[in-house]
């Protein structure tokens, strides 16, 4: 099996995960359109979707990387782009859960909530995203240097 077939299979698997995740989010957010839910409940549900949308975007970045590899882009370049984009969305998802979500809930509802939520998994994903984002540039620079060396030789 060559790398294009492997990338195609991985891309389809990622699309399946993405479809399942989006379906789950859609089923979970049916309260947004319910006549029986109050306005506070609808606001809470809408604000709760923000981090999930960031994580869905992160999964989409993985699909884009497999598509790039399938179309013939060098793996080092595709991985550098993936690390940057995936890291950005994971970081934004972590920030959205820890800071944005509680602040929006505090501003839009009548609750007296916290300014931030200490959620270890979200903080871990945010830190991992930041690490990926920072490490993407040296990986891309190394890929460019390797391509230049291969061009010389």
């Amino acid at each position: 099996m060559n790398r294009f077939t492997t990338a195609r299979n991985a891309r389809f698997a990622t699309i399946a995960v993405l479809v399942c995740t989006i379906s789950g989010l859609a089923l979970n957010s049916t309260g947004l359109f319910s006549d029986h839910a109050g306005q506070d409940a609808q606001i809470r549900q809408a604000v709760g979707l923000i981090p999930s949308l960031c994580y869905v975007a992160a999964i989409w970045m993985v699909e884009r990387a497999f598509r790039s590899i399938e179309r013939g882009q060098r793996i080092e370049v595709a991985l550098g782009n993936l690390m940057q984009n995936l890291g950005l969305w994971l970081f934004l998802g972590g920030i959205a859960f820890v800071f944005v979500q509680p602040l929006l809930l505090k501003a839009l509802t009548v609750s007296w909530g916290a300014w931030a939520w200490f959620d270890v998994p979200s903080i871990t994903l945010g830190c991992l995203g930041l690490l990926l984002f920072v490490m993407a540039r040296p990986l891309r620079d190394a890929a460019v240097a390797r391509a230049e060396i291969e061009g010389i030789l």
Side-chain angles (χ1 to χ4, degrees), residues 3-4 7 64-83 139-152:
R3 77 177 186 160
F4 300 111
R64 285 183 55 195
F66 286 132
R67 185 179 349 144
S68 298
I69 293 169
E70 183 182 346
R71 290 182 179 168
Q73 187 178 34
R74 295 181 60 99
I75 291 177
E76 295 89 359
V77 175
L79 282 178
N81 292 336
L82 170 64
M83 285 176 61
L139 182 65
R140 280 198 313 266
D141 291 345
V144 168
R146 180 179 176 190
E148 287 177 5
I149 290 172
E150 287 178 357
I152 293 171

Short mmCIF file of all heavy atoms in Angstrom, two decimals, residues 3-4 7 64-83 139-152:
data_model
loop_
_atom_site.label_atom_id
_atom_site.label_comp_id
_atom_site.label_asym_id
_atom_site.label_seq_id
_atom_site.Cartn_x
_atom_site.Cartn_y
_atom_site.Cartn_z
N ARG A 3 1.67 5.50 0.08
CA ARG A 3 1.27 6.55 1.03
C ARG A 3 0.00 7.24 0.61
O ARG A 3 -0.73 7.76 1.45
CB ARG A 3 2.40 7.54 1.24
CG ARG A 3 2.56 8.53 0.13
CD ARG A 3 3.64 9.51 0.46
NE ARG A 3 3.65 10.53 -0.58
CZ ARG A 3 4.18 11.70 -0.46
NH1 ARG A 3 4.76 12.02 0.66
NH2 ARG A 3 4.15 12.56 -1.43
N PHE A 4 -0.32 7.26 -0.70
CA PHE A 4 -1.55 7.92 -1.15
C PHE A 4 -2.78 7.11 -0.75
O PHE A 4 -3.78 7.67 -0.32
CB PHE A 4 -1.51 8.15 -2.66
CG PHE A 4 -0.35 9.00 -3.09
CD1 PHE A 4 0.70 8.46 -3.81
CD2 PHE A 4 -0.30 10.33 -2.74
CE1 PHE A 4 1.77 9.25 -4.19
CE2 PHE A 4 0.77 11.13 -3.10
CZ PHE A 4 1.81 10.59 -3.83
N ALA A 7 -3.10 7.52 2.99
CA ALA A 7 -3.64 8.84 3.30
C ALA A 7 -5.13 8.91 2.97
O ALA A 7 -5.90 9.51 3.71
CB ALA A 7 -2.88 9.91 2.53
N ARG A 64 -7.73 17.75 6.52
CA ARG A 64 -7.06 18.58 5.51
C ARG A 64 -5.62 18.11 5.29
O ARG A 64 -5.12 18.12 4.16
CB ARG A 64 -7.07 20.04 5.92
CG ARG A 64 -8.42 20.70 5.74
CD ARG A 64 -8.40 22.15 6.08
NE ARG A 64 -7.36 22.84 5.32
CZ ARG A 64 -6.92 24.05 5.60
NH1 ARG A 64 -7.39 24.70 6.64
NH2 ARG A 64 -5.99 24.62 4.87
N ALA A 65 -4.94 17.71 6.36
CA ALA A 65 -3.56 17.23 6.22
C ALA A 65 -3.52 15.94 5.41
O ALA A 65 -2.67 15.79 4.52
CB ALA A 65 -2.95 17.02 7.60
N PHE A 66 -4.45 15.01 5.69
CA PHE A 66 -4.48 13.78 4.90
C PHE A 66 -4.81 14.07 3.44
O PHE A 66 -4.28 13.44 2.54
CB PHE A 66 -5.48 12.79 5.49
CG PHE A 66 -5.01 12.13 6.75
CD1 PHE A 66 -5.84 12.05 7.86
CD2 PHE A 66 -3.75 11.59 6.85
CE1 PHE A 66 -5.42 11.44 9.03
CE2 PHE A 66 -3.31 10.98 8.01
CZ PHE A 66 -4.15 10.91 9.10
N ARG A 67 -5.69 15.03 3.20
CA ARG A 67 -6.03 15.39 1.83
C ARG A 67 -4.81 15.97 1.11
O ARG A 67 -4.56 15.66 -0.06
CB ARG A 67 -7.17 16.41 1.81
CG ARG A 67 -7.62 16.73 0.40
CD ARG A 67 -8.77 17.70 0.30
NE ARG A 67 -9.45 18.02 1.52
CZ ARG A 67 -9.95 19.20 1.82
NH1 ARG A 67 -9.81 20.21 0.98
NH2 ARG A 67 -10.57 19.41 2.94
N SER A 68 -4.03 16.79 1.81
CA SER A 68 -2.81 17.35 1.22
C SER A 68 -1.81 16.26 0.87
O SER A 68 -1.19 16.29 -0.21
CB SER A 68 -2.17 18.35 2.18
OG SER A 68 -3.02 19.42 2.43
N ILE A 69 -1.64 15.30 1.76
CA ILE A 69 -0.71 14.20 1.49
C ILE A 69 -1.23 13.36 0.33
O ILE A 69 -0.45 12.94 -0.54
CB ILE A 69 -0.52 13.33 2.76
CG1 ILE A 69 0.20 14.15 3.83
CG2 ILE A 69 0.24 12.05 2.45
CD1 ILE A 69 0.21 13.50 5.19
N GLU A 70 -2.53 13.14 0.28
CA GLU A 70 -3.13 12.37 -0.80
C GLU A 70 -2.92 13.06 -2.15
O GLU A 70 -2.72 12.40 -3.17
CB GLU A 70 -4.63 12.20 -0.53
CG GLU A 70 -5.36 11.36 -1.53
CD GLU A 70 -6.84 11.29 -1.22
OE1 GLU A 70 -7.26 11.65 -0.11
OE2 GLU A 70 -7.58 10.87 -2.12
N ARG A 71 -2.90 14.37 -2.15
CA ARG A 71 -2.71 15.14 -3.39
C ARG A 71 -1.24 15.30 -3.77
O ARG A 71 -0.93 15.95 -4.76
CB ARG A 71 -3.38 16.49 -3.27
CG ARG A 71 -4.88 16.39 -3.25
CD ARG A 71 -5.52 17.73 -3.17
NE ARG A 71 -6.97 17.59 -3.18
CZ ARG A 71 -7.80 18.55 -2.90
NH1 ARG A 71 -7.33 19.75 -2.60
NH2 ARG A 71 -9.08 18.34 -2.93
N GLY A 72 -0.35 14.76 -2.95
CA GLY A 72 1.06 14.75 -3.31
C GLY A 72 1.93 15.74 -2.57
O GLY A 72 3.12 15.86 -2.89
N GLN A 73 1.41 16.46 -1.61
CA GLN A 73 2.24 17.39 -0.86
C GLN A 73 3.23 16.60 -0.01
O GLN A 73 2.92 15.51 0.48
CB GLN A 73 1.37 18.28 0.03
CG GLN A 73 2.15 19.38 0.72
CD GLN A 73 1.26 20.29 1.55
OE1 GLN A 73 0.26 19.84 2.12
NE2 GLN A 73 1.59 21.55 1.61
N ARG A 74 4.42 17.14 0.15
CA ARG A 74 5.43 16.47 0.96
C ARG A 74 4.92 16.30 2.38
O ARG A 74 4.27 17.18 2.93
CB ARG A 74 6.73 17.27 0.96
CG ARG A 74 7.39 17.34 -0.40
CD ARG A 74 8.67 18.14 -0.32
NE ARG A 74 9.61 17.54 0.61
CZ ARG A 74 10.62 16.75 0.27
NH1 ARG A 74 10.81 16.47 -0.99
NH2 ARG A 74 11.43 16.26 1.16
N ILE A 75 5.24 15.16 2.97
CA ILE A 75 4.74 14.84 4.30
C ILE A 75 5.24 15.84 5.34
O ILE A 75 4.49 16.25 6.22
CB ILE A 75 5.11 13.39 4.69
CG1 ILE A 75 4.33 12.42 3.81
CG2 ILE A 75 4.85 13.13 6.15
CD1 ILE A 75 4.64 10.97 4.03
N GLU A 76 6.49 16.28 5.22
CA GLU A 76 7.02 17.22 6.19
C GLU A 76 6.26 18.54 6.17
O GLU A 76 5.97 19.13 7.21
CB GLU A 76 8.51 17.50 5.92
CG GLU A 76 9.41 16.31 6.09
CD GLU A 76 9.56 15.50 4.81
OE1 GLU A 76 8.94 15.85 3.78
OE2 GLU A 76 10.27 14.49 4.85
N VAL A 77 5.92 19.00 4.97
CA VAL A 77 5.18 20.26 4.84
C VAL A 77 3.75 20.09 5.38
O VAL A 77 3.24 20.94 6.11
CB VAL A 77 5.16 20.72 3.37
CG1 VAL A 77 4.30 21.96 3.20
CG2 VAL A 77 6.57 20.98 2.88
N ALA A 78 3.13 18.96 5.02
CA ALA A 78 1.77 18.70 5.49
C ALA A 78 1.74 18.59 7.01
O ALA A 78 0.82 19.11 7.67
CB ALA A 78 1.21 17.44 4.84
N LEU A 79 2.75 17.93 7.60
CA LEU A 79 2.80 17.81 9.06
C LEU A 79 3.05 19.15 9.74
O LEU A 79 2.49 19.44 10.80
CB LEU A 79 3.87 16.81 9.48
CG LEU A 79 3.50 15.34 9.32
CD1 LEU A 79 4.67 14.46 9.73
CD2 LEU A 79 2.28 15.00 10.14
N GLY A 80 3.88 19.98 9.12
CA GLY A 80 4.11 21.32 9.68
C GLY A 80 2.84 22.14 9.69
O GLY A 80 2.51 22.79 10.69
N ASN A 81 2.12 22.10 8.57
CA ASN A 81 0.85 22.83 8.51
C ASN A 81 -0.17 22.24 9.49
O ASN A 81 -0.91 22.98 10.14
CB ASN A 81 0.29 22.80 7.09
CG ASN A 81 1.14 23.59 6.13
OD1 ASN A 81 1.86 24.50 6.53
ND2 ASN A 81 1.08 23.24 4.86
N LEU A 82 -0.21 20.90 9.57
CA LEU A 82 -1.13 20.25 10.50
C LEU A 82 -0.83 20.67 11.93
O LEU A 82 -1.73 21.00 12.69
CB LEU A 82 -1.05 18.73 10.37
CG LEU A 82 -1.80 17.94 11.45
CD1 LEU A 82 -3.29 18.19 11.37
CD2 LEU A 82 -1.49 16.46 11.33
N MET A 83 0.44 20.63 12.31
CA MET A 83 0.80 20.98 13.67
C MET A 83 0.40 22.42 14.00
O MET A 83 -0.10 22.69 15.09
CB MET A 83 2.30 20.78 13.89
CG MET A 83 2.70 19.33 14.03
SD MET A 83 4.47 19.10 14.19
CE MET A 83 4.85 19.99 15.67
N LEU A 139 9.70 22.68 12.38
CA LEU A 139 9.49 21.54 11.49
C LEU A 139 9.38 22.00 10.03
O LEU A 139 9.97 21.38 9.14
CB LEU A 139 8.24 20.76 11.90
CG LEU A 139 7.94 19.52 11.08
CD1 LEU A 139 9.03 18.48 11.27
CD2 LEU A 139 6.60 18.94 11.46
N ARG A 140 8.65 23.08 9.80
CA ARG A 140 8.54 23.60 8.43
C ARG A 140 9.88 24.13 7.94
O ARG A 140 10.24 23.94 6.78
CB ARG A 140 7.47 24.68 8.37
CG ARG A 140 6.07 24.14 8.29
CD ARG A 140 5.08 25.18 7.80
NE ARG A 140 5.23 26.46 8.49
CZ ARG A 140 4.54 26.82 9.55
NH1 ARG A 140 3.63 26.02 10.04
NH2 ARG A 140 4.73 27.99 10.11
N ASP A 141 10.63 24.80 8.81
CA ASP A 141 11.96 25.30 8.42
C ASP A 141 12.89 24.14 8.07
O ASP A 141 13.66 24.22 7.11
CB ASP A 141 12.57 26.14 9.54
CG ASP A 141 11.83 27.45 9.74
OD1 ASP A 141 11.04 27.85 8.85
OD2 ASP A 141 12.03 28.09 10.80
N ALA A 142 12.82 23.05 8.84
CA ALA A 142 13.63 21.88 8.55
C ALA A 142 13.23 21.25 7.22
O ALA A 142 14.10 20.79 6.45
CB ALA A 142 13.51 20.86 9.67
N ALA A 143 11.95 21.24 6.92
CA ALA A 143 11.48 20.69 5.64
C ALA A 143 11.99 21.53 4.47
O ALA A 143 12.40 20.99 3.44
CB ALA A 143 9.96 20.61 5.62
N VAL A 144 11.98 22.84 4.63
CA VAL A 144 12.49 23.73 3.57
C VAL A 144 13.99 23.52 3.40
O VAL A 144 14.49 23.42 2.27
CB VAL A 144 12.16 25.20 3.91
CG1 VAL A 144 12.91 26.15 3.00
CG2 VAL A 144 10.66 25.44 3.81
N ALA A 145 14.73 23.42 4.50
CA ALA A 145 16.18 23.20 4.42
C ALA A 145 16.48 21.86 3.77
O ALA A 145 17.40 21.76 2.93
CB ALA A 145 16.80 23.26 5.81
N ARG A 146 15.71 20.84 4.09
CA ARG A 146 15.92 19.52 3.48
C ARG A 146 15.66 19.57 1.98
O ARG A 146 16.41 18.98 1.20
CB ARG A 146 15.01 18.50 4.14
CG ARG A 146 15.16 17.12 3.57
CD ARG A 146 14.27 16.15 4.27
NE ARG A 146 14.37 14.84 3.63
CZ ARG A 146 13.60 13.85 3.89
NH1 ARG A 146 12.64 13.95 4.78
NH2 ARG A 146 13.76 12.70 3.27
N ALA A 147 14.61 20.28 1.58
CA ALA A 147 14.31 20.38 0.15
C ALA A 147 15.43 21.13 -0.58
O ALA A 147 15.78 20.76 -1.70
CB ALA A 147 12.97 21.11 -0.05
N GLU A 148 15.99 22.16 0.05
CA GLU A 148 17.11 22.88 -0.56
C GLU A 148 18.34 21.99 -0.70
O GLU A 148 19.02 22.02 -1.73
CB GLU A 148 17.44 24.11 0.27
CG GLU A 148 16.43 25.23 0.16
CD GLU A 148 16.76 26.40 1.05
OE1 GLU A 148 17.84 26.41 1.72
OE2 GLU A 148 15.94 27.35 1.12
N ILE A 149 18.63 21.20 0.33
CA ILE A 149 19.78 20.32 0.29
C ILE A 149 19.58 19.25 -0.80
O ILE A 149 20.52 18.94 -1.53
CB ILE A 149 20.05 19.68 1.67
CG1 ILE A 149 20.56 20.76 2.62
CG2 ILE A 149 21.01 18.53 1.57
CD1 ILE A 149 20.68 20.31 4.05
N GLU A 150 18.37 18.70 -0.87
CA GLU A 150 18.09 17.70 -1.91
C GLU A 150 18.19 18.31 -3.30
O GLU A 150 18.63 17.66 -4.23
CB GLU A 150 16.70 17.09 -1.72
CG GLU A 150 16.63 16.13 -0.55
CD GLU A 150 15.22 15.57 -0.35
OE1 GLU A 150 14.29 15.97 -1.07
OE2 GLU A 150 15.07 14.74 0.56
N GLY A 151 17.83 19.59 -3.42
CA GLY A 151 17.96 20.27 -4.71
C GLY A 151 19.41 20.48 -5.11
O GLY A 151 19.76 20.43 -6.29
N ILE A 152 20.25 20.73 -4.14
CA ILE A 152 21.67 20.94 -4.40
C ILE A 152 22.34 19.63 -4.79
O ILE A 152 23.14 19.56 -5.70
CB ILE A 152 22.36 21.57 -3.19
CG1 ILE A 152 21.87 22.99 -2.98
CG2 ILE A 152 23.89 21.55 -3.33
CD1 ILE A 152 22.33 23.63 -1.68
#
